[in-house]
Amino acid sequence: MIKVVLIGSGNVAQHLVEAFAKTKEIEVMQVFSRRKETSIPLLDSNKITTDFNDLVKADIYIIAVSDDAISKVSSQLPFGNRLVVHTSGSVPIDSLDNKNRKGIFYPLQTFTKGKEIDFSQIPICLESENKTDFDVLEKVAQSISNTVFKSNEKQRKALHISAVFVNNFVNEMYRIGNEICEENKVPFEILKPLILETVNKVMTLSPSAAQTGPAKRNDIQTIEAHLDFLSNENHTKIYKILTQSIQNYGKEL
């Protein structure tokens, strides 16, 4: 059984605790949290510590904190020559303190508190400085996920940037769509079947093949009508940028 300590108690850490609880290969020895009142489902309260000096010995320490805090947290760990990894898609492996062996354990998914998720469907990207540590990371990842990917820093960064486009930016489009619906007193729920079909299409088609709409068809009158209708300057700017991006696809600029 591989012994794991999680450094952090946010969304990623809590989802990892839940995922590890479902496998016999992993034992969560402890969770570090800066807040004394932290409560983590499926974990005994006596396994939660707020003191780095109280961290128990484990096979792997997974830092699951904000990107900006990773370097500082890794430097505060009071031990050396142990396997320490972080879960970020954008932070370099070199951000981890040199006193310990380094790695990456990056689950490529969006995590929301209270929203259940099937970890077996989440791709996990791994990096390490040596093969022995990679083997440990791989065993941990394979115990909870069906898709484990060995990545380098450039590939991980490309995946993270792509994820921002297909997740964060797309969700911002949903927010704007919802805002326009609310302003005009129509329910956003009417758009949900369209959202689902759009997602389903890219499961079988390339995004470029799945593209439709006035920009794709170059329906100038419709585009101008939409721009005339929009009253929010920010919405107008985004509409123009995305329209131009669709129209310019495949053309030499």
Side-chain angles (χ1 to χ4, degrees):
M1 182 173 284
I2 298 174
K3 297 178 180 179
V4 172
V5 168
L6 287 158
I7 313 295
S9 57
N11 288 332
V12 176
Q14 296 215 18
H15 278 94
L16 282 172
V17 168
E18 292 178 14
F20 290 146
K22 296 175 183 177
T23 178
K24 296 179 180 179
E25 290 91 344
I26 308 298
E27 180 182 2
V28 176
M29 303 295 293
Q30 201 175 41
V31 170
F32 172 87
S33 174
R34 293 196 179 278
R35 297 172 298 174
K36 292 183 179 180
E37 69 277 9
T38 296
S39 174
I40 300 177
L42 306 178
L43 191 72
D44 292 339
S45 59
N46 61 5
K47 286 190 174 184
I48 301 175
T49 182
T50 58
D51 189 341
F52 283 121
N53 292 311
D54 289 336
L55 291 174
V56 299
K57 190 171 183 179
D59 299 303
I60 177 173
Y61 297 80
I62 301 177
I63 298 178
V65 298
S66 66
D67 289 359
D68 291 345
I70 289 172
S71 180
K72 182 178 180 181
V73 167
S74 70
S75 69
Q76 291 177 304
L77 299 179
F79 46 72
N81 196 31
R82 299 185 191 177
L83 178 55
V84 176
V85 305
H86 70 66
T87 60
S88 171
S90 62
V91 176
I93 193 172
D94 288 341
S95 67
L96 294 168
D97 195 278
N98 289 327
K99 66 177 177 285
N100 284 296
R101 307 191 312 276
K102 307 173 187 178
I104 305 292
F105 190 91
Y106 170 44
L108 206 170
Q109 186 54 274
T110 174
F111 296 96
T112 302
K113 188 176 181 179
K115 174 70 170 59
E116 288 190 18
I117 199 161
D118 182 2
F119 233 99
S120 68
Q121 301 302 307
I122 298 176
I124 300 179
C125 301
L126 305 177
E127 295 175 45
S128 72
E129 294 181 311
N130 63 68
K131 186 180 185 305
T132 301
D133 287 339
F134 184 86
D135 290 343
V136 174
L137 287 175
E138 190 173 44
K139 287 178 182 177
V140 174
Q142 288 177 342
S143 74
I144 59 175
S145 172
N146 295 331
T147 306
V148 178
F149 178 63
K150 183 178 181 180
S151 64
N152 57 42
E153 185 173 318
K154 185 177 181 181
Q155 290 171 324
R156 180 166 50 90
K157 186 170 289 187
L159 282 169
H160 191 260
I161 292 171
S162 299
V164 168
F165 272 95
V166 303
N167 173 238
N168 306 131
F169 290 171
V170 168
N171 193 71
E172 174 63 5
M173 297 303 99
Y174 295 156
R175 187 197 65 78
I176 290 173
N178 183 69
E179 197 168 74
I180 294 170
C181 284
E182 287 183 344
E183 288 173 357
N184 292 277
K185 296 182 172 52
V186 293
F188 181 70
E189 282 69 23
I190 293 176
L191 293 174
K192 289 183 177 179
L194 175 62
I195 292 171
L196 290 174
E197 177 60 15
T198 303
V199 172
N200 288 334
K201 280 201 295 185
V202 296
M203 297 297 110
T204 56
L205 299 172
S206 70
S208 58
Q211 186 64 267
T212 62
K216 173 73 173 180
R217 297 189 299 267
N218 200 33
D219 291 339
I220 303 301
Q221 288 185 342
T222 300
I223 292 169
E224 290 179 349
H226 287 173
L227 292 171
D228 287 340
F229 180 84
L230 292 171
S231 57
N232 184 301
E233 184 179 351
N234 188 52
H235 296 175
T236 301
K237 288 179 180 178
I238 292 172
Y239 187 102
K240 286 180 177 179
I241 290 170
L242 293 176
T243 295
Q244 186 176 39
S245 180
I246 293 169
Q247 291 177 331
N248 287 340
Y249 175 75
K251 298 178 182 179
E252 287 191 26
L253 302 179

